[in-house]
């Protein structure tokens, strides 16, 4: 059984995470919070997803920001 009751990100896709963070913070603030080019130079949801799927350390930072602000961001 693939049950992860203690994983706060269980069932939430990376696209949902990035979309909700962008909607709440905007790319400018995201770029200040997490200094990665996909948020600071010509940002878009698609380019951010492409980068984050290939870059585990950056994805982890984005996921941690989402978890930290989940109560404000996730609807």
């Amino acid at each position: 059984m693939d049950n992860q009751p203690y994983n706060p990100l269980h069932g939430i896709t990376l696209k949902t995470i990035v979309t909700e963070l962008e909607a709440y913070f905007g790319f400018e603030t995201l770029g200040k919070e997490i200094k990665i080019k996909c948020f600071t130079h010509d940002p878009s949801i698609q380019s951010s997803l492409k980068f984050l799927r290939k870059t585990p350390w950056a994805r982890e930072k984005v996921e941690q920001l989402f978890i930290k602000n989940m109560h404000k961001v996730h609807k």
Side-chain angles (χ1 to χ4, degrees):
M1 181 179 257
D2 189 28
N3 193 3
Q4 299 182 19
Y6 301 110
N7 181 353
L9 297 176
H10 182 68
I12 303 174
T13 65
L14 182 59
K15 184 174 184 175
T16 299
I17 292 170
V18 173
T19 302
E20 291 186 8
L21 284 173
E22 191 280 325
Y24 185 77
F25 290 110
F27 279 120
E28 186 175 335
T29 303
L30 280 175
K32 290 176 184 174
E33 289 286 324
I34 305 171
K35 300 201 183 333
I36 51 180
K37 280 188 176 182
C38 69
F39 293 154
T40 60
H41 295 83
D42 196 26
S44 73
I45 299 292
Q46 288 303 328
S47 66
S48 298
L49 290 172
K50 186 175 180 181
F51 176 76
L52 294 170
R53 287 183 177 127
K54 294 189 295 186
T55 316
W57 64 266
R59 180 179 181 147
E60 186 174 330
K61 287 184 178 217
V62 170
E63 289 174 345
Q64 290 304 314
L65 180 65
F66 183 78
I67 291 169
K68 181 177 151 186
N69 295 285
M70 186 182 274
H71 62 285
K72 296 184 259 182
V73 176
H74 191 56
K75 297 167 177 88

